């Protein structure tokens, strides 16, 4: 017959015995026909024993806890004594160990244990049953013509001991084929049959059968699988024929008896080899070797008890299981508490083994086991301390297997009650979260999150929604609990802080402490607890607590704060300031509120303290001023360290300024206009303190200085400068430290930008300018002491002998500077020292510039000045420790360095520099004022020839009396010392032409290296030929050789790609050229004299002087 799967729970667990009996008693003793075997039969129904009225009354009579414990103990012992099935790998197989565990868990003394054990052993043993579910099969043989089968299963228990069985056979290790024994061997009343699944090779049955076992040691489970075969006509079979194998099956069926079923395979198992719960796939065994692979069958086995003799067997199974579980959990937690360890929800293998045996023997479904575990754990959680995560698994199990119809009304009520009790308990913990989950404990956050997850998961389950539908939502209950708990916590705090002596001062101190505690609680709530609630239950407890506590605090202020102009307010000014700061911190927490509905109770709390502002500001100024005076009086004007070159009074001064800034930040006055006036007062006070400090520190330096020791006086003066410099830095940082930009943005609607600038920034600039003047005056005095010495050494360097090495002449000056600057560097802060260096550097550049103006033929003169300049640059830069290169490389320095480099060059270098300048001027000139020449210039590397093609000239000046000219072009390679072997070349003279066409080619033998020398050029000079007088200058052009085609690349088709170059003719300027002036002084050098002579001749012919 069809039965439900034992994993499902369509019937309640307490009716398991009657269910098993009804399944067994549904069959009749007669043999059944082939058609009845195909369509199933019912088992024999055994009569159910009815309980007497006396027994019923005895069961309903309440028992004492000790009796209940003994009954539960007996139930556990009975379970162990009559255990069936082989043990799981992680379970305990030794019964003595289980007895010992039970004795400890129930706290039984040996005598009690022995007595109860003997009593239980004397009870009648239970009836062992096998609950088997035929799930499905796969890969079975196809016996029909269509290639499929119509499979069904026949199963039963063979309890006889067979002397010729495999155990007694000497070759029992060899695999033997099992004959079909269910149909041929077992009686009909012990045979069960599944439904027939038509035309499939992978049938699915999911049918459950319960069978009693008389002798578990020798009992065997047999299951045969058959292919149902109805009588069909040959025509029908031929219509289903698909291949040759189907034809063979027709011939085979013809030899069989009509209606005879085909054997598909069988499974034979020893009952004693099964586990309590066994679920696996089994291979179908053949009777012959014809088809050894016959597929697999999926079977589930459960070994259960029927008619247990214990008293508690009459109670609902899941309740007994829950009681047993509770006993084990208490034992586990008690043992771990002795070691200071928190229970993690895992029961020891001994307890797990007993619970597993009990659930199997009582045929408890997975759902009812989960129900029992949930009821046990949820109840124990309210009395014992263990991780709430232990509840998550069980509530998830109930949700996964929940079907409301499988529970009776009593079970529904019990489950609903457990939900409600746990919910009430959890909400009560959340109401007291400050005490239950203190942040001083490391695991408080974890415990809180675990509780919230359990409550959320429980309220989301279908069971909770169906059984507790009228319960308010979890969020609503938590919100109300947080509000109530916050008010209770505040009342307890207030009562605890009540002063013994009543008075304004005592009440104020109590109120300050109370508000401080409230603020600290809200901060910790926002930082830690609020995240837990938002991430889990989506409740912002910070917002709830803040609104409740701010309202309660405002009520306390109204009650305890003295009214304005009360005589006690002046006496309590300091306490009022402390209260204001704490209230400020409390109210600032409103920034963390997600939304703001309406005005908060403490929105205008600052108005209660407006009359105290003047006294607070005056107190801040007087305190700072007294501290500065005291700091100057005890200042010995010695550097704090090698790195900190100011004295101790600047530290106290900075601290005073910092304290005033902190006072401003703490006040954070909300009213913009009043806040601006407060800032004006603070700025004015700090500037007054700065000016007064300058006067006081200079007076202190005079008092400590010895007039007979100039070095000591300079040392003290350096410290004064350093102190004022440090003060200047502090004053300049006030806008940033006091957040003037933020204040300006806050007051822009009330205070104009001009008023803000005039009132604050101008006042600050005035104070900084005053400090700058003080510093500048002292630094200038120190610099003047060094200026004369530096100038003396520079003049000495300029007048040194040319025979002396320039670097040797610089040594005395460098020693002088090293001595003086080292002293200043040790006694001045870096910024002031850099200021001194800047003044000295300007003086040095002026002196060297004046010396370099002199024109002298001595190259050594300029080399000495240049060497002095470079050494001083290196000295003042000091590898990055002195002035920056940007500060040193001023326009004056760059001009001076270039001039000294030029003056220090040799005559040939000067000539090269001259032609470089001419090339640059030529490239920058585009006007053809004096005409132009068109040429093609290239270099042939294979021949090392420079080829110049003079094509034409145009727009020449008419220099003859007839209004025309007789032009020709002279070609020279300059400078001469680079091309000593190259002679000048000239074109033919073109008579009476202002636009002559020459079209002449000239080749010069020169190397690429000569062409690449800086200043190397082709000088094209156009003359007007005069047969009697000297030729007149039409103009000249300079063409650089470094960039001509072919010089850097070697191409075969260069001649076809040479571009024409049109160069403008120029005339030399007649004003003095620096290079010509230097060369003119070197008349003793022949090359220099010849070069200057030639250029002067050209200058005399220049038309520039006539413009």
């Amino acid at each position: 017959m069809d039965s439900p799967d034992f994993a499902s729970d369509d019937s309640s667990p307490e009716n398991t015995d009657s269910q098993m009996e009804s399944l067994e008693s549904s069959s009749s003793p007669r043999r059944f026909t082939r058609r009845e075997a195909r369509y199933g039969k019912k088992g024999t129904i055994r009569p159910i024993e009815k309980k007497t009225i006396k027994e019923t009354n005895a069961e309903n009579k309440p028992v004492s806890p000790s009796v209940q414990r003994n009954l539960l103990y007996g139930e556990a012992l009975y379970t162990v004594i009559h255990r069936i099935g082989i043990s799981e790998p992680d379970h305990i197989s030794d019964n003595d160990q289980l007895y010992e565990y039970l004795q400890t868990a129930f706290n039984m003394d040996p005598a009690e244990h022995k007595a109860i054990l003997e009593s239980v052993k004397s009870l009648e043993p239970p009836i062992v049953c096998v609950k088997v579910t035929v799930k499905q099969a796969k890969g079975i043989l196809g016996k029909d013509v269509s290639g499929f089968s119509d499979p069904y299963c026949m199963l039963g228990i063979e309890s006889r001991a067979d002397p010729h069985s495999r155990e007694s056979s000497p070759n029992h290790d060899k695999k033997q084929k099992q004959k079909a024994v269910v149909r041929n061997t077992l009686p009909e009343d012990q045979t069960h049959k599944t439904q027939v699944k038509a035309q499939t090779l992978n049938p699915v049955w999911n049918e459950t059968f319960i069978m009693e076992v008389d002798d578990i040691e020798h009992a065997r489970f047999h299951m045969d699988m058959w292919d149902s075969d109805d009588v069909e006509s040959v025509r029908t079979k031929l219509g289903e024929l698909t291949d040759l194998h189907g034809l063979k099956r027709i011939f085979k069926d013809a030899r069989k008896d009509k209606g005879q079923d085909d054997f598909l395979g069988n499974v034979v198992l020893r009952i004693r080899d099964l586990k309590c719960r066994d679920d696996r796939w089994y291979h179908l065994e053949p009777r012959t070797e014809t088809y050894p692979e016959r597929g697999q069958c999926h079977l589930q086995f459960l070994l259960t008890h029927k008619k247990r003799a214990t008293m508690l067997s009459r109670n609902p199974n899941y309740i007994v299981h829950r009681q047993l579980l509770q006993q084990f959990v208490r034992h586990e937690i008690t043992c771990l508490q002795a070691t200071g360890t928190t229970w993690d929800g895992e029961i020891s293998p001994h307890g797990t083994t007993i619970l597993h045996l009990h659930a199997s023997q009582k045929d408890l479904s997975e759902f009812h086991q989960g129900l029992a575990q949930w009821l046990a754990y949820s109840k124990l959680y309210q009395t014992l301390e263990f991780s709430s995560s232990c509840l998550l698994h069980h509530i998830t199990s109930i949700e996964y297997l929940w079907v409301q119809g499988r529970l009776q009304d009593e079970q529904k009520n019990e489950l609903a009650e457990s939900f409600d009790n746990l919910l009430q308990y959890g909400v009560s913990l959340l109401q007291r979260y400050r005490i239950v989950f203190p942040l001083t404990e490391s695991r408080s956050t974890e415990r809180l999150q675990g509780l919230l997850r359990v409550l959320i998961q429980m309220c989301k389950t279908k069971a909770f929604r169906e059984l507790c539908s009228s319960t308010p939502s979890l969020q609503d209950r938590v919100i109300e609990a947080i509000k109530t708990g916050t008010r209770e916590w505040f009342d307890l705090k207030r009562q605890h802080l009540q002063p013994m002596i009543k008075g304004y001062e005592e009440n104020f101190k109590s109120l300050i402490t109370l508000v401080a505690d409230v603020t600290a609680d809200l901060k910790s709530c926002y930082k830690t607890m609020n995240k837990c609630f938002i991430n889990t239950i989506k409740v912002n407890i910070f917002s709830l607590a803040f609104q409740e506590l701010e309202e309660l605090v405002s009520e306390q202020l109204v009650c305890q704060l003295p009214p304005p102009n009360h005589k006690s307010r002046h006496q309590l000014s300091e306490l009022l300031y402390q209260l204001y700061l704490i209230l400020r911190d409390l109210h600032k927490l409103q920034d963390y509120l997600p939304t703001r509905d309406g005005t908060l109770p403490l929105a205008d709390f600052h108005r209660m303290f407006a009359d105290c502002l003047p006294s607070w500001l005056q107190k801040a100024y007087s305190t700072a001023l007294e501290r500065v005076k005291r700091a100057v009086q005890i200042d010995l004007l010695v550097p704090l360290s090698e790195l900190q070159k100011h004295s101790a009074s600047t530290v106290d001064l900075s601290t005073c300024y910092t304290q005033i800034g902190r006072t401003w930040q703490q006040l954070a006055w909300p009213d913009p206009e009043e806040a601006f006036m407060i800032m004006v007062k603070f700025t004015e006070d700090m500037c007054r303190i700065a000016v007064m400090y300058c006067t006081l520190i200079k007076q202190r330096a005079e008092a400590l200085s010895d007039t007979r020791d100039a070095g000591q006086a300079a040392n003290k003066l350096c410290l004064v400068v350093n102190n004022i410099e440090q003060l200047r830095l502090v004053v300049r940082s006030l806008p940033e430290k006091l957040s003037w930009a933020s204040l300006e943005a806050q007051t822009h609607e009330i205070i104009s930008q001009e008023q803000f600038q005039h009132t604050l920034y101008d006042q600050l600039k005035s104070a900084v300018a005053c400090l700058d003047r003080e510093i500048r005056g002292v630094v200038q005095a120190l610099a003047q002491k060094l200026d004369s010495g530096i100038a003396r050494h520079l003049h000495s360097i300029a007048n040194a002998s040319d025979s002396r090495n320039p670097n040797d002449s610089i040594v005395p000056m460098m020693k002088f500077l090293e001595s003086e600057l080292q002293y200043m560097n040790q006694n001045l802060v870096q910024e002031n020292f850099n200021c001194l260096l800047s003044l000295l550097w300007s003086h040095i550049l002026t002196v060297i510039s004046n010396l370099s103006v002199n024109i002298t033929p001595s190259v050594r003169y300029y080399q000495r000045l240049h060497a002095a300049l470079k050494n001083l640059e290196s000295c003042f830069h000091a590898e990055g420790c002195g002035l920056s290169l940007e500060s040193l490389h001023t326009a004056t320095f760059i001009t001076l360095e270039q001039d000294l480099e030029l003056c220090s060059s040799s005559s040939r270098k000067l000539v090269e520099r001259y032609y470089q300048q001419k090339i640059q001027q030529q490239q920058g000139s585009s006007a053809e004022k004096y005409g132009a020449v068109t040429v093609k210039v290239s270099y042939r590397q294979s021949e090392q020839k420079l080829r110049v093609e003079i094509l034409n000239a145009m727009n020449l000046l008419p220099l003859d009396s007839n209004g025309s000219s007789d032009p020709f072009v002279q070609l020279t390679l300059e400078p001469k010392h680079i091309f000593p072997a190259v002679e000048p070349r000239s074109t033919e003279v073109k008579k009476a032409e202002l636009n002559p066409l020459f079209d002449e080619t000239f080749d010069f033998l020169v190397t690429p290296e000569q062409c690449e020398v800086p200043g190397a050029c082709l000088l094209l000079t156009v003359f007007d030929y005069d047969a009697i007088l000297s030729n007149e200058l039409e103009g000249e052009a300079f063409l650089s050789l470094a960039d001509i085609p072919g010089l850097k690349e070697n191409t075969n088709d260069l001649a076809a790609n040479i571009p024409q170059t049109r160069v403008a003719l120029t005339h030399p300027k007649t004003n003095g050229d620096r290079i010509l002036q230097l060369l003119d002084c070197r008349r003793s050098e022949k090359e220099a004299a010849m070069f200057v002579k030639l250029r002067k001749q050209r200058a005399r012919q220049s038309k520039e002087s006539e413009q």
Side-chain angles (χ1 to χ4, degrees), residues 645-698:
K645 298 179 181 180
H646 46 269
S647 62
S649 60
T650 57
V651 177
D652 290 317
L653 181 62
S654 299
T655 304
C656 293
Y657 275 46
T658 302
Q659 184 58 45
I660 293 176
R662 185 179 297 113
T663 302
W664 160 255
Q665 294 174 354
Q666 290 174 344
L667 279 174
W669 200 258
D671 185 87
E673 186 174 3
E674 294 177 358
F676 176 74
M677 298 308 299
I678 294 173
M679 178 55 70
V680 171
K681 180 66 168 62
F682 276 149
T683 305
E684 180 183 351
D685 291 345
M686 286 188 281
C687 291
R688 287 165 56 191
I689 291 174
V691 174
M692 184 170 293
Y693 175 79
C694 292
T695 303
L696 293 175
I697 198 65
K698 287 190 292 185

Side-chain angles (χ1 to χ4, degrees), residues 557-581:
L557 288 176
V558 173
C559 297
Q560 299 190 28
L561 198 65
N565 302 323
H566 193 273
K567 61 179 181 179
S568 63
R569 291 180 72 91
H570 181 71
Q571 301 173 356
L572 300 175
S573 177
E574 186 173 350
L575 291 177
L576 284 169
Y577 183 69
Q578 295 179 19
L579 179 60
Y580 172 83
L581 295 183

Side-chain angles (χ1 to χ4, degrees), residues 965-1028:
S965 293
D966 303 324
F968 71 95
V969 181
Q970 184 186 71
L971 296 81
T972 58
L973 298 183
E974 300 292 347
K976 296 294 184 183
H977 62 271
I978 297 177
F979 305 98
V982 179
E983 296 295 332
R985 310 283 291 276
S986 298
T987 66
E988 294 181 357
V989 178
K990 301 295 181 179
K991 295 293 185 176
E993 280 288 345
L994 296 180
N995 297 285
L997 178 64
F998 297 103
D999 199 12
E1000 297 183 38
T1001 302
F1002 303 90
D1003 290 334
F1004 299 92
L1005 291 174
V1006 293
T1007 64
E1009 291 76 12
Q1010 290 175 302
C1011 297
E1012 291 177 350
V1013 174
C1017 65
L1018 171 64
L1019 174 57
L1020 301 172
T1021 308
V1022 181
F1023 289 103
D1024 174 33
Y1025 177 77
D1026 196 327
I1028 301 174

Side-chain angles (χ1 to χ4, degrees), residues 553-606:
V553 168
S554 65
E555 294 174 358
Q556 291 298 311
L557 288 176
V558 173
C559 297
Q560 299 190 28
L561 198 65
N565 302 323
H566 193 273
K567 61 179 181 179
S568 63
R569 291 180 72 91
H570 181 71
Q571 301 173 356
L572 300 175
S573 177
E574 186 173 350
L575 291 177
L576 284 169
Y577 183 69
Q578 295 179 19
L579 179 60
Y580 172 83
L581 295 183
I582 297 175
L583 288 172
R584 177 79 254 171
D585 288 343
L586 172 61
H587 190 62
K588 280 176 62 177
L589 295 177
Q590 67 173 335
D591 297 338
Y592 302 129
L593 293 177
T595 56
R596 302 179 188 177
D597 300 331
T599 303
L600 295 172
L602 294 179
D604 296 326
F605 78 97
H606 64 283

Side-chain angles (χ1 to χ4, degrees), residues 206 236 268 354 439 623 633 695 758 760 783 843 1013 1023 1063:
N206 280 325
T236 303
V268 180
I354 297 172
L439 293 179
T623 302
Q633 290 174 359
T695 303
H758 175 73
L760 289 180
H843 176 69
V1013 174
F1023 289 103
V1063 291

Side-chain angles (χ1 to χ4, degrees), residues 73 95-106 113 350:
Y73 189 67
N95 286 357
D96 291 336
Q97 294 185 27
L98 299 181
Y99 294 152
E100 184 179 354
Y101 173 80
L102 285 172
Q103 185 177 350
T104 307
F106 282 83
H113 168 71
H350 301 77

